[in-house]
Amino acid sequence: QITLKGSGPTLVKPTQTLTLTCTFSGFSLSTSGVGVGWIRQPPGKALQWLALIYWDDDKRYSPSLKSRLTITKDTSKNQVVLTMTNMDPVDTATYYCAHRNYRGSFDSWGQGTLVTVSS
Amino acid sequence: QSVLTQPPSVSGAPGQRVTISCTGGSSNIGAGYDVHWYQQLPGTAPKVLNQGNTNRPSGVPDRFSGSKSGTSASLAISGLQAEDEADYYCQSFDISLSGYVFGTGTKVTVL
């Protein structure tokens, strides 16, 4: 059974850097075809894909946020970390991590972390 | 803004069939990338309903069926039930963006 759990601060100040950690179990990020992605959802709005890291350490980012995002993995700890710099109130959202399977879908999701950006 | 466009809302009476469209372009759905569908109940994380255009994960009722043609895809819900009231999203990959894309989302209301 695949499980993912995101963790990180629920409140950050404008201009600060957000660091979110996804701790997972039930799969290995060394398995071919597998990835872990981050998706966010502002209150009352649609899902927005942010970043994804593949089993071979290939990384993809949303073009509109690429300059602010960094995604890394620690296979031995079963963790994926996302950092987002220069946070702004418009970045207030629920941030989800999710398992990407070989079909390219996100078939298991973490519970989500609501991050509020406010001074 | 999203490159996959969905109608903001659809509604139907219990037992009816509703269809949600997902319109993309030549760099995503039209390029042959699979379309996946998610259901998001209020206050919960999305759940995959249909993946690889037509494949239902185990446990998903066969009332949910996906299809794809050209630069568009659709999710049909037959025998609509009150528990189907939720937000639905399509998702694919876009070669021009070199990344994943979600649709604009559709709210399904059971009358």
Side-chain angles (χ1 to χ4, degrees):
Chain A
Q1 180 192 1
I2 291 175
T3 63
L4 303 100
K5 184 176 181 180
S7 60
T10 57
L11 179 65
V12 297
K13 290 180 167 48
T15 76
Q16 286 187 335
T17 294
L18 171 68
T19 299
L20 295 171
T21 300
C22 181
T23 303
F24 57 84
S25 64
F27 69 95
S28 170
L29 202 37
S30 300
T31 301
S32 179
V34 168
V36 171
W38 287 92
I39 300 105
R40 73 178 180 181
Q41 185 173 38
K45 296 189 177 181
L47 300 169
Q48 179 186 17
W49 173 75
L50 301 176
L52 187 134
I53 190 163
Y54 291 96
W55 78 100
D56 60 358
D57 208 38
D58 185 19
K59 302 164 187 176
R60 303 295 174 99
Y61 298 99
S62 168
S64 63
L65 293 167
K66 185 175 183 177
S67 64
R68 299 173 53 205
L69 296 172
T70 302
I71 190 169
T72 60
K73 64 181 175 73
D74 186 329
T75 305
S76 64
K77 292 183 179 179
N78 281 354
Q79 288 183 333
V80 170
V81 175
L82 180 76
T83 61
M84 179 180 289
T85 61
N86 194 25
M87 293 293 285
D88 183 272
V90 300
D91 297 314
T92 294
T94 297
Y95 288 74
Y96 296 99
C97 60
H99 171 266
R100 182 263 191 200
N101 66 19
Y102 72 97
R103 293 177 181 272
S105 71
F106 297 99
D107 60 358
S108 295
W109 295 62
Q111 83 286 10
T113 300
L114 175 59
V115 178
T116 301
V117 184
S118 174
S119 55
Chain B
Q1 66 278 18
S2 176
V3 299
L4 301 181
T5 302
Q6 301 177 231
S9 63
V10 299
S11 61
Q16 284 190 330
R17 181 178 187 268
V18 298
T19 301
I20 303 169
S21 61
C22 174
T23 302
S26 59
S27 60
N28 42 71
I29 300 174
Y33 291 103
D34 285 345
V35 178
H36 317 289
W37 289 91
Y38 302 85
Q39 177 193 60
Q40 187 177 31
L41 297 170
T44 69
K47 164 192 166 185
V48 65
L49 277 185
N50 197 275
Q51 51 190 0
N53 307 318
T54 60
N55 178 274
R56 273 188 311 275
S58 61
V60 175
D62 59 6
R63 302 186 293 104
F64 296 91
S65 61
S67 63
K68 173 187 164 183
S69 178
T71 58
S72 296
S74 295
L75 177 73
I77 310 174
S78 59
L80 196 63
Q81 299 181 4
E83 66 208 49
D84 299 332
E85 198 160 275
D87 293 324
Y88 293 81
Y89 295 90
C90 60
Q91 175 250 313
S92 187
F93 185 87
D94 190 288
I95 190 64
S96 296
L97 301 174
S98 194
Y100 296 83
V101 287
F102 282 91
T104 49
T106 299
K107 181 174 182 58
V108 170
T109 301
V110 182
L111 302 172

